[in-house]
């Protein structure tokens, strides 16, 4: 019905304009009709290309009304004398409607342009153009600062920028320090803005916790991450994600305490706090794999490596196709120096997903440890295809080509697997 309405309006409008009388051709009304038709065609085209809004439909019906006047052979006029009260009311209503309509058009236009900039930022981020993505999101934020989605993504883009800057060897120590400080401040400010705009949105607290969690080591970040995840858990008490990430914060706290003398009791308490949160998460969702992974990690840090291994092996029976589980179990075997079992798990991860960079990376290390240099090169070349800008992988391949150990001269920074994250947490 809508297509029939549009088609009829276009057909009769074109027919009317295509065969005007001599007077109409030169008249102002014919030019107005042509302009109305052109506007209507442009608007109808946009309906097929973009999501329509209230403002779009409002303008659609106004232009359609204009075309109906154009198509009509007779135009009826109503004359309202200046002294008439009805004339004053009509003028007032018209002006209010015009101002309100223009205001809606302006605001809608701003938000539309902001969405376009955000879409360009998403594409730039997918293409690995991090700085361009940040600039596009900043433009979107300027046009529509009330969107917490923009601020959430901006916070994570700045967080990625922190990692990029820390690996940039072309900067001097002073330049790197200043750039890192700016990126950290921007990430924190953006994360805080999300909760100021929409404090009841659990996604904003999860992202804020995620940002602070990745900045642990900076004074205060640990406590702020804990507070953010606790708030997220309060807002969404049925989700295991926030509890699991809170446990991850406690594990990181335990790792930090392990590096200091005389704090064994505090470290043990941090690990117990992590275990308590993970048990709560499993109570909410018994098959939530990330919580089971971290329970195994806690057991391992408590010195119960056999219990950690049993936990993951039990989980493997229940979830044989869980790629994250294959990777974590492989890591446990690797840490135990059981290279063959570790290799079997990393091969299983590769079979589940041939482009799983973490698994390929560790598979390459197992081959290297066994002296299978050609297979190790093949694995690391696959990782390089997935991460073409990684200087670490290039260094590893150079080591292998020269007959050295893969990690010779390197301190590997293998990232933890972030499985089961909600959509507001962007996976890198």
């Amino acid at each position: 019905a809508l297509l029939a309405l549009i088609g009829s309006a276009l057909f009769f409008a074109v027919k009317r304009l295509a065969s005007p009388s001599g007077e109409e051709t030169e008249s102002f009304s014919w030019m107005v009709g042509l302009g109305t038709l052109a506007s209507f065609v442009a608007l109808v085209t946009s309906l097929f290309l973009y999501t329509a809004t209230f403002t779009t439909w409002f303008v659609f019906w106004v232009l359609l009304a204009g075309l109906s006047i154009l198509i009509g052979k007779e135009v009826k006029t109503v004359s309202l004398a200046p002294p008439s009260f009805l004339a004053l009311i009509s003028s007032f209503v018209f002006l209010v409607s015009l101002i309100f309509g223009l205001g809606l058009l302006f605001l809608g236009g701003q938000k539309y342009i902001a969405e376009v900039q955000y879409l360009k930022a998403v594409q730039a981020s997918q293409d690995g153009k991090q700085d361009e993505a940040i600039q596009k999101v900043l433009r979107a934020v300027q046009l529509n600062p009330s969107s917490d989605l923009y601020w959430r993504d901006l916070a994570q883009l700045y967080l990625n920028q922190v990692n990029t800057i820390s690996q940039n060897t072309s900067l001097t120590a002073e330049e790197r320090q200043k750039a890192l400080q700016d990126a950290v401040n921007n990430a924190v400010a953006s994360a805080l803005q999300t909760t100021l705009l929409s404090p009841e949105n659990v996604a904003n607290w999860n992202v804020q916790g995620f940002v602070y969690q990745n900045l642990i080591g900076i004074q205060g970040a640990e406590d702020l991450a804990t507070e953010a995840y606790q708030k997220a858990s309060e807002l969404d008490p049925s989700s295991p994600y926030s509890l699991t990430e809170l446990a991850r914060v406690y594990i990181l706290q335990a790792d930090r305490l392990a590096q200091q003398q005389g704090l064994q009791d505090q470290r043990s308490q941090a690990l117990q706090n992590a275990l308590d949160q993970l048990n709560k998460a499993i109570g909410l969702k018994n098959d939530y794999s990330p919580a089971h992974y971290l329970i195994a990690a806690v057991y391992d840090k408590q010195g119960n490596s056999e219990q950690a291994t049993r936990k993951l092996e039990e989980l493997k029976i229940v979830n044989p196709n869980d790629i994250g589980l294959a990777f974590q179990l492989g890591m446990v075997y690797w840490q135990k120096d059981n290279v063959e079992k570790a290799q079997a798990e990393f091969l299983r991860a590769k079979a589940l997903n041939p482009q799983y960079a973490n698994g390929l990376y560790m598979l390459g290390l197992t081959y290297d440890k066994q002296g299978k240099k050609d297979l190790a090169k093949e694995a690391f070349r696959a990782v390089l295809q997935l991460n073409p800008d990684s200087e670490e992988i290039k260094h590893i391949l150079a080591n292998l080509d020269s007959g050295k150990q893969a990690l010779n001269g390197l301190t590997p920074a293998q990232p933890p697997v972030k499985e089961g994250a909600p959509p507001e947490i962007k996976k890198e």
Side-chain angles (χ1 to χ4, degrees):
L2 181 61
L3 290 174
L5 177 64
I6 293 171
S8 299
L10 291 173
F11 174 77
F12 288 111
V14 171
K15 183 178 178 181
R16 182 85 170 94
L17 287 172
S19 56
S21 64
E23 293 180 1
E24 285 180 327
T25 305
E26 302 298 331
S27 68
F28 175 74
S29 61
W30 188 88
M31 297 299 295
V32 170
L34 183 62
T36 304
L37 176 61
S39 299
F40 185 74
V41 170
L43 184 65
V44 168
T45 302
S46 74
L47 293 177
F48 288 91
L49 301 176
Y50 308 104
T51 303
T53 63
F54 175 84
T55 306
T56 310
W57 284 115
F58 176 80
V59 177
F60 171 85
W61 292 110
V62 169
L63 291 175
L64 186 62
L67 285 181
S68 68
I69 294 174
L70 167 69
I71 295 168
K73 294 183 178 180
E74 296 181 4
V75 179
K76 294 181 180 180
T77 60
V78 177
S79 177
L80 299 175
S84 169
F85 176 74
L86 182 59
L88 294 175
I89 294 297
S90 300
S91 299
F92 176 76
V93 171
F94 173 76
L95 286 173
V96 170
S97 300
L98 180 62
I99 294 170
F100 182 71
L102 290 174
L104 280 177
L105 188 62
F106 176 74
L107 293 175
Q110 268 197 318
K111 290 185 177 181
Y112 174 79
I113 297 173
E115 283 292 291
V116 171
Q117 293 297 317
Y118 176 72
L119 180 61
K120 290 180 179 178
V122 171
Q123 187 60 55
S125 178
Q126 292 173 348
D127 293 341
K129 300 174 182 177
Q130 183 175 269
D131 292 338
E132 181 181 339
I134 290 175
Q135 292 305 314
K136 296 295 184 185
V137 179
L138 283 173
R139 177 61 177 155
V141 163
Q142 291 172 352
L143 292 167
N144 185 13
S146 62
S147 173
D148 55 350
L149 169 63
Y150 299 163
W151 289 104
R152 285 201 303 269
D153 281 9
L154 188 59
Q156 293 177 81
L157 284 169
Y158 279 129
L159 191 61
N160 291 338
Q161 191 180 56
V162 171
N163 296 328
T164 302
I165 293 170
S166 64
Q167 297 174 16
N168 190 344
T169 56
S170 65
L171 298 174
T172 64
E174 184 178 348
E175 289 173 338
R176 184 182 294 109
Q177 180 64 30
K178 183 180 184 306
L180 282 172
Q181 187 63 52
D182 290 342
V184 167
N185 289 340
N186 289 332
V188 170
S190 300
L192 287 173
Q193 187 65 22
T194 63
T195 53
L196 290 175
L197 287 172
S198 185
E200 300 306 315
N201 188 344
V202 65
N204 295 335
W205 292 102
N206 276 331
V207 168
Q208 189 176 120
F210 179 74
V211 169
Y212 284 127
Q213 175 186 319
N214 281 271
L215 297 177
I216 286 180
I218 297 176
Q219 185 176 5
E222 193 176 287
D223 293 336
L224 292 170
T226 301
E227 292 173 9
Y229 283 131
Q230 286 174 341
K231 180 65 176 178
S233 184
E234 291 172 9
L235 291 172
D236 189 4
S238 62
S239 171
Y241 174 79
S242 302
L243 294 172
T244 303
E245 292 309 301
L246 179 56
R248 198 186 298 273
V249 172
Y250 285 131
I251 292 172
L252 292 172
Q253 180 185 27
D255 290 343
R256 180 180 59 79
L257 293 170
Q259 299 172 1
Q260 303 177 45
Q261 298 292 331
L263 299 178
Q264 186 59 38
D265 290 342
Q266 290 92 321
R267 178 179 181 271
S268 298
Q269 184 59 52
L271 290 175
Q272 185 58 49
N273 290 340
L275 205 54
D276 292 341
Q277 298 301 322
L278 292 168
N279 286 325
K280 288 180 184 178
I282 291 175
L284 294 172
K285 192 174 187 296
N286 188 51
D287 62 346
Y288 191 60
S289 298
H292 287 286
Y293 303 156
L294 289 182
I295 286 178
V298 171
Y299 287 153
D300 188 59
K301 291 177 184 296
Q302 288 176 333
N304 300 325
S305 59
E306 293 301 324
Q307 191 174 359
T309 306
R310 282 198 303 272
K311 178 72 176 175
L312 292 176
E313 287 175 341
E314 290 170 4
L315 194 58
K316 175 183 175 180
I317 297 172
V318 181
N319 299 296
N321 296 322
D322 190 326
I323 188 171
L325 174 58
F327 178 79
Q328 293 291 350
L329 188 54
M331 289 299 296
V332 169
Y333 288 137
W334 173 260
Q335 290 163 3
K336 286 183 168 187
D337 207 26
N338 192 334
V339 180
E340 291 183 359
K341 282 192 173 183
Q343 181 178 299
E345 292 302 320
F346 296 137
L347 281 171
R348 187 163 70 90
K350 179 184 177 182
L352 292 170
N353 182 1
Q355 294 186 325
Y356 186 50
N358 283 356
L360 291 170
Y361 180 99
M362 294 306 302
L363 180 61
L365 290 184
T366 62
Y367 285 139
D368 176 55
K369 196 162 189 177
Q370 293 174 323
K372 302 174 181 178
K373 299 295 183 181
D374 290 339
L375 290 174
K377 290 178 187 178
E378 182 182 340
F380 283 113
R381 286 193 189 107
V383 178
L384 187 62
Q385 287 182 345
L386 298 170
N387 302 273
D389 297 327
S390 174
E391 295 299 326
E392 179 183 340
I393 304 302
K394 292 176 183 176
H395 193 124
I396 288 174
L397 285 169
N399 283 341
L400 292 172
D401 287 336
S402 60
K404 300 177 182 177
Q405 295 293 313
L407 297 180
N408 184 58
L410 285 173
T411 302
Q414 184 65 21
V417 178
K418 297 289 289 183
E419 305 291 345
E424 62 267 16
I425 304 298
K426 303 296 183 290
K427 293 183 180 180
E428 289 298 324

